[in-house]
Amino acid sequence: NEERSIGALLERLCAVDFGVPFEVVVVDDGSRAATAAVVEALGLAPVRLLRPGNNASPPASRPPAD
């Protein structure tokens, strides 16, 4: 549950000039926390919110290890 800190974190990250285009991907794990709503409300262009499905636990939302 990162709803208290993710907004400030993403705003700081997006303020950095990396000198190249970048994208930040946030994966909604389907929990009842308001983290996804906070990310959506920010409306930051380089931030993409993925919603893989209901109750996808963090391991299910990560790609498999090689």
Side-chain angles (χ1 to χ4, degrees):
N1 298 343
E2 301 298 327
E3 62 191 85
R4 284 185 236 139
S5 59
I6 197 163
L9 171 78
L10 291 173
E11 287 175 334
R12 285 190 304 247
L13 184 61
C14 291
V16 175
D17 181 6
F18 291 105
V20 295
F22 68 96
E23 179 178 53
V24 178
V25 178
V26 178
V27 179
D28 180 5
D29 65 1
S31 72
R32 289 182 282 209
T35 307
V38 170
V39 172
E40 284 182 324
L42 288 171
L44 297 170
V47 178
R48 185 165 54 129
L49 178 63
L50 295 182
R51 294 188 167 169
N54 291 338
N55 291 328
S57 65
S61 61
R62 293 186 193 127
D66 291 333

